[in-house]
Amino acid sequence: MFLRLAHQHRQFVQDLVMNLQALAIVLERRGYLASCYTCGDQMNSASFMVSLGDNHLIRFLVSDYGITWTEMRDDRELMKLEGAEAINQLQELANIVKQPLPAVAENKALAKKF
């Protein structure tokens, strides 16, 4: 039983790492500074970071040892979550990707205002 659970946990971590890599790519295409680094080719850990602007940074760490979400602004830690709560917060970040991109004309109009 425990070997099966260990295998399932490794699979879960690998799936999460792959999804973090994809999320980083999509966020970069949306204009956010995002990265996802892994160690080795076994995909058993990752460090995901995204800047939401105005010194607002999200760091998500995943490994066999645990899952952590850390939100910082101006180099101060605002929130730190672990486990399922961290994954729920990651879903909130992923919802940004689901929002439609603004039209190019709207972007130009906004740029002229500022």
Side-chain angles (χ1 to χ4, degrees):
M1 176 179 83
F2 293 111
L3 292 176
R4 179 181 55 80
L5 290 173
H7 176 72
Q8 287 176 343
H9 180 72
R10 278 189 217 99
Q11 285 296 123
F12 167 76
V13 169
Q14 289 174 352
D15 289 348
L16 188 53
V17 170
M18 286 190 303
N19 282 292
L20 287 171
Q21 290 175 325
L23 181 60
I25 291 168
V26 172
L27 286 170
E28 281 184 329
R29 289 180 183 163
R30 292 283 179 116
Y32 295 94
L33 295 175
S35 63
C36 184
Y37 297 100
T38 61
C39 296
D41 59 353
Q42 294 190 7
M43 310 260 299
N44 58 4
S45 65
S47 172
F48 170 87
M49 294 181 79
V50 62
S51 173
L52 300 176
D54 297 330
N55 294 320
H56 190 187
L57 182 69
I58 305 295
R59 182 176 61 214
F60 189 88
L61 303 174
V62 61
S63 72
D64 280 343
Y65 303 108
I67 298 167
T68 306
W69 165 283
T70 307
E71 189 168 349
M72 297 170 286
R73 190 178 295 264
D74 297 322
D75 295 327
R76 292 185 182 158
E77 190 175 292
L78 299 175
M79 177 172 48
K80 187 169 188 171
L81 302 171
E82 296 179 348
E85 291 177 343
I87 295 171
N88 285 336
Q89 198 64 31
L90 185 63
Q91 180 61 54
E92 293 297 318
L93 178 63
N95 288 339
I96 292 173
V97 175
K98 295 178 184 178
Q99 296 175 0
L101 287 172
V104 175
E106 290 175 12
N107 285 341
K108 289 181 182 178
L110 287 174
K112 288 180 183 179
K113 288 182 182 180
F114 299 103

